[in-house]
Amino acid sequence: MTGIEEFIAGVPKCELHLHIEGTLEPELKFELAARNGLTLPYADAAAMRAAYEFHDLPSFLRVYYEGMAVLLTEQDFYDLAWAYLSKAQAQHVRYAELFFDPQAHTSRGVSFDTVIRGLRRAVLDARRLLDVRAQLIMCFLRDFSAEYAMATLLESLPYKEWIVGVGLDSDEHGNPPVKFAAVFERARAEGYLLTMHCDVDQENSTEHIRQCLEVIDVDRIDHGVNSLDDPALHTEIARRGLGLTVCPISNGYVRGDLGHEAIRRMLDLGMRVTVNSDDPAYFNGYVTENLLALSEAITISPQDVLQLERNAFEVAWLPNSLKDAYLAELAAYEQAR
């Protein structure tokens, strides 16, 4: 193990772009399928993993949503989140914000209550048993209607103490941020923080980022690499101090490279770029592997790694007292090295 690999392995980490359904590893799929009396169209986990071939966002999403069929009970959602949070602890993730897609489940007959109670129990147990803190971000699926998103938002309100914010994900084609302006306005009024996916190299990417800034007034942007295509956009993002949750390995499936030069440029511009894992069970890389992949693609120093993690803790949706505690852990790690 090289010096930078060892440094990355041990550094305290913050994960801000993680779809909990995207952590559903093939082995767990088979376990849940057996428990729920379902038959999967693969001989075993290795065959399933070998079938994961994506060349763009839509091809990934088809496999992604099909895989969720095994998630039916509260215990299924608990086991899903617990498996990720255990992996996170092993990778020295100290804090994670977990996206979940309730419409991907309610649209197939699984209740909102079932989904969130399973996830919430795992979050509480991880804090108590693993010393890993996590919060939930509810995402709306942009290829469904704005009316369905609003109904889902209203359904979430009895549980809003368990949800720190809302996001927007899934297929961007023909589904701009402004489609959901009223939903996000109501979400902010209810006290939720706001983020939206602006995936890499999608149709109208820069226009979607502009809408996030000028119409929705988001607190963070997920991905957002194409902000570099427009000086006015990246200048404004830097001025506001908005976080950008970039996911190198998943970038590689969409654009053919990790977006590593974009991350380097964002660092150089003083933007609050962060490195995350997106859907690690499908892209074969959790947050440590994403940082390692970045280090192999470009020259990054321990100071760069520390800056990426400082950025993440600073833009995390946490009280300042907790941010300061995590930043102190980072400083102690740096001094110990």
Side-chain angles (χ1 to χ4, degrees):
M1 185 179 289
T2 67
I4 191 65
E5 289 172 342
E6 185 180 1
F7 190 88
I8 286 170
V11 70
K13 300 175 183 70
C14 178
E15 171 93 90
L16 300 178
H17 188 146
L18 184 284
H19 297 271
I20 195 61
E21 293 93 346
T23 69
L24 183 55
E25 294 283 357
E27 292 79 7
L28 183 55
K29 277 189 197 175
F30 272 90
E31 180 182 331
L32 298 182
R35 189 160 77 194
N36 291 322
L38 302 174
T39 301
L40 298 176
Y42 303 97
D44 53 27
M48 179 182 289
R49 188 172 279 110
Y52 289 170
E53 294 184 4
F54 322 117
H55 59 275
D56 58 13
L57 182 60
S59 65
F60 160 70
L61 291 172
R62 281 193 293 274
V63 175
Y64 178 65
Y65 291 127
E66 287 171 2
M68 295 184 198
V70 301
L71 296 167
L72 296 175
T73 69
E74 180 180 321
Q75 189 61 40
D76 295 341
F77 288 95
Y78 176 93
D79 291 346
L80 172 69
W82 179 257
Y84 164 71
L85 291 163
S86 299
K87 178 75 171 182
Q89 183 204 39
Q91 294 206 344
H92 299 280
V93 174
R94 301 293 291 119
Y95 173 69
E97 292 177 0
L98 314 181
F99 293 130
F100 73 107
D101 290 327
Q103 292 168 290
H105 311 298
T106 58
S107 63
R108 57 188 178 85
V110 179
S111 73
F112 190 102
D113 184 79
T114 293
V115 176
I116 198 164
R117 287 190 182 278
L119 298 177
R120 172 68 174 175
R121 282 201 296 116
V123 165
L124 292 176
D125 281 355
R127 179 70 185 129
R128 180 172 58 92
L129 300 173
L130 303 176
D131 193 28
V132 174
R133 189 182 299 273
Q135 295 194 90
L136 299 174
I137 298 174
M138 178 178 69
C139 284
F140 307 112
L141 300 184
R142 64 202 311 156
D143 37 6
F144 285 148
S145 70
E147 291 77 15
Y148 190 7
M150 183 67 83
T152 300
L153 174 64
L154 297 177
E155 193 171 16
S156 77
L157 297 182
Y159 311 91
K160 69 179 181 179
E161 291 186 1
W162 299 354
I163 302 169
V164 69
V166 298
L168 183 68
D169 59 16
S170 201
D171 193 353
E172 288 195 35
H173 182 71
N175 298 299
V178 293
K179 173 182 172 181
F180 299 91
V183 179
F184 277 73
E185 182 179 9
R186 176 64 185 271
R188 186 181 293 284
E190 295 292 345
Y192 289 129
L193 293 165
L194 311 181
T195 188
M196 284 186 166
H197 277 52
C198 292
D199 278 288
V200 178
D201 296 343
Q202 300 300 297
E203 183 179 61
N204 299 321
S205 285
T206 55
E207 172 60 18
H208 288 185
I209 295 169
R210 186 195 67 77
Q211 291 176 17
C212 282
L213 296 175
E214 297 180 6
V215 180
I216 309 299
D217 192 22
V218 294
D219 301 293
R220 199 159 69 211
I221 295 176
D222 299 310
H223 296 297
V225 169
N226 292 100
S227 63
L228 294 175
D229 298 340
D230 185 332
L233 290 178
H234 69 68
T235 299
E236 180 62 15
I237 288 169
R239 186 191 71 79
R240 296 190 193 187
L242 295 183
L244 296 164
T245 63
V246 179
C247 306
I249 292 177
S250 77
N251 283 348
Y253 284 85
V254 176
R255 66 184 302 178
D257 66 61
L258 302 176
H260 46 282
E261 297 294 347
I263 294 172
R264 174 78 270 166
R265 188 175 170 206
M266 287 176 175
L267 283 170
D268 293 343
L269 287 169
M271 300 173 78
R272 283 178 155 174
V273 58
T274 68
V275 167
N276 310 272
S277 62
D278 207 355
D279 300 285
Y282 294 90
F283 298 141
N284 196 32
Y286 288 78
V287 67
T288 293
E289 288 76 27
N290 274 269
L291 287 164
L292 289 171
L294 181 63
S295 75
E296 292 168 3
I298 57 174
T299 300
I300 60 171
S301 67
Q303 288 303 315
D304 291 327
V305 175
L306 288 167
Q307 187 60 56
L308 289 165
E309 295 306 328
R310 274 195 295 267
N311 289 345
F313 284 118
E314 286 170 355
V315 303
W317 290 345
L318 284 169
N320 285 337
S321 59
L322 289 174
K323 291 184 184 184
D324 290 344
Y326 289 128
L327 290 169
E329 284 189 35
L330 268 182
Y333 183 77
E334 178 181 18
Q335 291 172 4
R337 307 293 295 187

